[in-house]
Coordinates of all heavy atoms in Angstrom, one line a residue:
P189 N -36.0 70.3 -15.8 CA -35.9 69.0 -15.2 C -37.0 68.0 -15.7 O -36.8 66.8 -15.9 CB -36.0 69.2 -13.7 CG -36.3 70.6 -13.5 CD -36.1 71.3 -14.8
E190 N -38.2 68.6 -16.0 CA -39.3 67.7 -16.5 C -39.0 67.1 -17.9 O -39.6 66.1 -18.2 CB -40.6 68.5 -16.6 CG -40.7 69.6 -17.6 CD -40.0 70.9 -17.2 OE1 -39.5 71.1 -16.1 OE2 -39.9 71.8 -18.0
Q191 N -38.1 67.7 -18.6 CA -37.7 67.2 -19.9 C -36.2 66.7 -19.9 O -35.7 66.3 -20.9 CB -37.9 68.2 -21.0 CG -39.3 68.6 -21.2 CD -39.5 69.6 -22.3 OE1 -38.5 70.1 -22.8 NE2 -40.7 70.0 -22.5
D192 N -35.6 66.7 -18.7 CA -34.1 66.3 -18.6 C -33.3 67.0 -19.7 O -32.6 66.4 -20.5 CB -34.0 64.8 -18.7 CG -32.7 64.3 -18.1 OD1 -32.1 65.0 -17.3 OD2 -32.2 63.2 -18.5
Y193 N -33.5 68.4 -19.7 CA -32.9 69.2 -20.8 C -32.4 70.5 -20.1 O -32.9 71.0 -19.1 CB -34.0 69.5 -21.8 CG -33.5 70.0 -23.1 CD1 -33.0 69.1 -24.1 CD2 -33.5 71.4 -23.4 CE1 -32.6 69.6 -25.3 CE2 -33.1 71.8 -24.6 CZ -32.6 70.9 -25.6 OH -32.1 71.4 -26.8
T194 N -31.4 71.1 -20.7 CA -30.8 72.4 -20.3 C -30.9 73.3 -21.4 O -30.3 73.0 -22.5 CB -29.4 72.2 -19.8 OG1 -29.4 71.3 -18.7 CG2 -28.8 73.5 -19.3
M195 N -31.5 74.5 -21.3 CA -31.6 75.5 -22.3 C -30.3 76.3 -22.2 O -29.8 76.6 -21.1 CB -32.8 76.4 -22.1 CG -34.1 75.7 -22.4 SD -34.3 75.1 -24.1 CE -34.3 76.6 -25.0
I196 N -29.8 76.8 -23.3 CA -28.6 77.6 -23.4 C -29.0 79.0 -23.9 O -29.5 79.1 -25.0 CB -27.5 77.0 -24.3 CG1 -27.2 75.6 -23.9 CG2 -26.3 77.9 -24.3 CD1 -26.3 74.9 -24.9
D197 N -28.8 80.0 -23.1 CA -29.1 81.4 -23.5 C -27.7 82.0 -23.9 O -26.9 82.2 -23.0 CB -29.7 82.2 -22.4 CG -30.0 83.6 -22.7 OD1 -29.6 84.1 -23.8 OD2 -30.6 84.3 -21.9
V198 N -27.5 82.3 -25.2 CA -26.3 82.8 -25.7 C -26.2 84.3 -25.7 O -25.2 84.9 -26.1 CB -25.9 82.2 -27.0 CG1 -25.7 80.7 -26.9 CG2 -26.9 82.6 -28.1
G199 N -27.3 84.9 -25.3 CA -27.4 86.4 -25.3 C -28.0 86.9 -26.6 O -29.1 87.4 -26.7
A200 N -27.3 86.8 -27.7 CA -27.8 87.3 -29.0 C -27.6 86.2 -30.0 O -26.6 85.4 -29.9 CB -27.1 88.5 -29.5
G201 N -28.5 86.1 -31.0 CA -28.3 85.0 -32.0 C -29.1 83.8 -31.6 O -29.9 83.8 -30.8
T202 N -28.7 82.7 -32.3 CA -29.4 81.4 -32.1 C -28.9 80.7 -30.8 O -27.8 80.5 -30.6 CB -29.1 80.5 -33.3 OG1 -29.6 81.2 -34.5 CG2 -29.9 79.2 -33.2
G203 N -29.9 80.5 -29.9 CA -29.6 79.8 -28.7 C -29.6 78.3 -28.9 O -29.7 77.8 -30.0
G204 N -29.6 77.6 -27.8 CA -29.6 76.1 -27.9 C -30.0 75.4 -26.7 O -30.6 75.9 -25.8
G205 N -29.5 74.2 -26.6 CA -29.8 73.3 -25.5 C -28.7 72.2 -25.4 O -27.9 72.0 -26.3
M206 N -28.8 71.5 -24.3 CA -27.9 70.3 -24.1 C -28.7 69.3 -23.4 O -29.5 69.6 -22.5 CB -26.6 70.7 -23.5 CG -26.5 71.3 -22.2 SD -24.8 71.5 -21.5 CE -24.1 72.7 -22.6
M207 N -28.3 68.0 -23.7 CA -29.0 66.9 -23.1 C -28.1 65.7 -23.1 O -27.1 65.6 -23.9 CB -30.3 66.6 -23.8 CG -30.1 66.2 -25.3 SD -31.7 66.0 -26.1 CE -32.0 64.3 -25.8
K208 N -28.4 64.7 -22.3 CA -27.7 63.5 -22.3 C -28.0 62.8 -23.6 O -29.2 62.8 -24.1 CB -28.1 62.6 -21.1 CG -27.3 61.4 -20.9 CD -27.3 60.9 -19.5 CE -26.5 59.7 -19.3 NZ -25.1 59.8 -19.4
K209 N -27.1 62.1 -24.2 CA -27.3 61.4 -25.5 C -28.5 60.5 -25.3 O -28.5 59.7 -24.3 CB -26.0 60.7 -25.9 CG -24.9 61.5 -26.2 CD -23.7 60.8 -26.8 CE -23.3 59.6 -26.0 NZ -22.0 59.0 -26.4
P210 N -29.4 60.4 -26.3 CA -30.5 59.5 -26.2 C -30.1 58.1 -26.4 O -30.8 57.2 -25.9 CB -31.4 60.0 -27.4 CG -30.6 60.8 -28.3 CD -29.4 61.3 -27.5
M211 N -29.0 57.8 -27.0 CA -28.5 56.4 -27.2 C -27.0 56.4 -26.9 O -26.3 57.2 -27.3 CB -28.7 56.0 -28.6 CG -30.2 56.0 -29.1 SD -30.4 55.6 -30.9 CE -29.8 57.1 -31.6
A212 N -26.6 55.4 -26.1 CA -25.2 55.3 -25.6 C -24.3 55.3 -26.8 O -23.2 55.8 -26.7 CB -25.0 54.1 -24.7
E213 N -24.6 54.6 -27.9 CA -23.7 54.5 -29.1 C -23.7 55.7 -29.9 O -22.8 55.8 -30.8 CB -24.1 53.2 -29.9 CG -25.5 53.4 -30.6 CD -26.7 53.0 -29.7 OE1 -26.5 52.7 -28.5 OE2 -27.8 52.9 -30.3
A214 N -24.6 56.7 -29.7 CA -24.6 57.9 -30.5 C -23.3 58.7 -30.1 O -22.8 58.7 -29.0 CB -25.8 58.7 -30.2
P215 N -22.8 59.5 -31.1 CA -21.6 60.3 -30.8 C -22.0 61.5 -30.0 O -23.1 62.0 -30.0 CB -21.1 60.7 -32.2 CG -22.3 60.7 -33.0 CD -23.2 59.6 -32.5
T216 N -21.0 62.0 -29.2 CA -21.2 63.3 -28.6 C -21.0 64.3 -29.7 O -20.0 64.3 -30.4 CB -20.1 63.5 -27.5 OG1 -20.3 62.6 -26.5 CG2 -20.1 64.9 -26.9
Q217 N -22.0 65.2 -29.9 CA -22.0 66.1 -31.0 C -22.9 67.3 -30.8 O -23.9 67.2 -30.1 CB -22.3 65.4 -32.3 CG -23.7 64.9 -32.3 CD -24.0 64.1 -33.6 OE1 -23.2 64.0 -34.5 NE2 -25.2 63.7 -33.7
W218 N -22.6 68.4 -31.6 CA -23.6 69.5 -31.7 C -24.5 69.2 -32.9 O -24.0 68.7 -33.9 CB -22.8 70.8 -31.9 CG -22.2 71.3 -30.7 CD1 -20.9 71.1 -30.3 CD2 -22.8 72.1 -29.7 NE1 -20.7 71.8 -29.1 CE2 -21.8 72.4 -28.7 CE3 -24.1 72.6 -29.5 CZ2 -22.1 73.1 -27.6 CZ3 -24.4 73.4 -28.4 CH2 -23.4 73.6 -27.4
L219 N -25.8 69.5 -32.8 CA -26.7 69.2 -33.8 C -27.5 70.5 -34.1 O -28.2 71.0 -33.2 CB -27.7 68.1 -33.5 CG -28.7 67.7 -34.6 CD1 -28.1 67.2 -35.8 CD2 -29.7 66.8 -34.0
P220 N -27.3 71.1 -35.3 CA -28.1 72.3 -35.6 C -29.5 71.9 -36.1 O -29.7 70.9 -36.7 CB -27.3 73.0 -36.7 CG -26.7 71.8 -37.4 CD -26.4 70.8 -36.3
Y221 N -30.5 72.8 -35.8 CA -31.9 72.7 -36.2 C -32.2 73.8 -37.1 O -31.9 75.0 -36.8 CB -32.8 72.6 -35.1 CG -32.8 71.3 -34.3 CD1 -31.9 71.1 -33.3 CD2 -33.7 70.3 -34.5 CE1 -31.8 69.9 -32.6 CE2 -33.7 69.1 -33.8 CZ -32.7 69.0 -32.9 OH -32.7 67.8 -32.2
V222 N -32.9 73.5 -38.3 CA -33.3 74.5 -39.2 C -34.8 74.7 -39.1 O -35.5 73.8 -39.0 CB -32.9 74.1 -40.7 CG1 -33.4 75.1 -41.7 CG2 -31.4 73.9 -40.8
M223 N -35.2 76.0 -39.2 CA -36.6 76.3 -39.1 C -37.3 75.9 -40.4 O -36.8 76.3 -41.5 CB -36.8 77.8 -38.9 CG -38.2 78.3 -38.8 SD -39.0 77.9 -37.2 CE -38.2 79.0 -36.1
V224 N -38.4 75.2 -40.3 CA -39.2 74.8 -41.5 C -40.7 75.0 -41.2 O -41.1 75.1 -40.0 CB -39.0 73.3 -41.9 CG1 -37.5 73.1 -42.3 CG2 -39.4 72.4 -40.7
E225 N -41.5 75.1 -42.3 CA -42.9 75.2 -42.1 C -43.6 73.9 -41.7 O -44.5 73.9 -40.9 CB -43.6 75.7 -43.4 CG -43.3 77.2 -43.7 CD -44.0 77.7 -44.9 OE1 -45.2 77.2 -45.1 OE2 -43.5 78.5 -45.5
S226 N -43.0 72.8 -42.2 CA -43.6 71.4 -41.8 C -42.5 70.4 -41.7 O -41.7 70.1 -42.7 CB -44.5 71.0 -43.0 OG -44.9 69.6 -42.8
V227 N -42.3 69.8 -40.5 CA -41.3 68.8 -40.3 C -41.6 67.6 -41.2 O -40.7 67.1 -41.9 CB -41.3 68.4 -38.8 CG1 -40.5 67.1 -38.6 CG2 -40.7 69.4 -38.0
K228 N -42.9 67.2 -41.2 CA -43.2 66.0 -42.0 C -42.9 66.2 -43.5 O -42.3 65.3 -44.1 CB -44.7 65.7 -41.8 CG -45.0 65.1 -40.4 CD -46.5 64.9 -40.2 CE -46.8 64.4 -38.8 NZ -48.2 64.2 -38.6
K229 N -43.2 67.3 -44.1 CA -43.0 67.5 -45.5 C -41.5 67.6 -45.8 O -40.9 67.1 -46.8 CB -43.6 68.8 -46.0 CG -45.1 68.7 -46.1 CD -45.8 70.0 -46.6 CE -47.3 69.9 -46.6 NZ -47.9 71.1 -47.0
T230 N -40.7 68.3 -44.9 CA -39.3 68.5 -45.0 C -38.6 67.1 -44.9 O -37.6 66.8 -45.7 CB -38.7 69.5 -44.0 OG1 -39.4 70.7 -44.2 CG2 -37.2 69.7 -44.3
I231 N -39.0 66.3 -43.9 CA -38.4 65.0 -43.8 C -38.6 64.2 -45.0 O -37.7 63.4 -45.5 CB -38.9 64.3 -42.5 CG1 -38.4 65.0 -41.2 CG2 -38.6 62.8 -42.5 CD1 -36.9 64.9 -40.9
E232 N -39.8 64.2 -45.6 CA -40.1 63.5 -46.8 C -39.2 63.9 -47.9 O -38.7 63.1 -48.7 CB -41.6 63.5 -47.1 CG -42.0 62.6 -48.3 CD -41.6 61.2 -48.1 OE1 -41.4 60.7 -47.0 OE2 -41.5 60.5 -49.2
K233 N -39.1 65.2 -48.1 CA -38.2 65.8 -49.2 C -36.8 65.3 -49.0 O -36.1 64.9 -49.9 CB -38.2 67.3 -49.2 CG -39.5 67.9 -49.8 CD -39.6 69.4 -49.6 CE -38.5 70.2 -50.1 NZ -38.7 71.7 -49.9
A234 N -36.3 65.3 -47.7 CA -34.9 64.9 -47.4 C -34.8 63.4 -47.7 O -33.8 63.0 -48.3 CB -34.6 65.2 -46.0
R235 N -35.8 62.6 -47.4 CA -35.7 61.1 -47.6 C -35.6 60.9 -49.1 O -34.8 60.1 -49.6 CB -36.9 60.4 -47.0 CG -36.8 58.9 -47.1 CD -38.1 58.2 -46.8 NE -39.2 58.5 -47.7 CZ -39.3 58.1 -48.9 NH1 -38.4 57.4 -49.5 NH2 -40.4 58.5 -49.7

């Protein structure tokens, strides 16, 4: 509740979470996250 977030325990494998969309115009969707050593460096490479 302190983060307005719900964790999902799937038992085995990659778990997840769910939350209210941060922006009303954003689509309802699943978003995967990939493990990286540095968010800043990876975001810059992606840009």
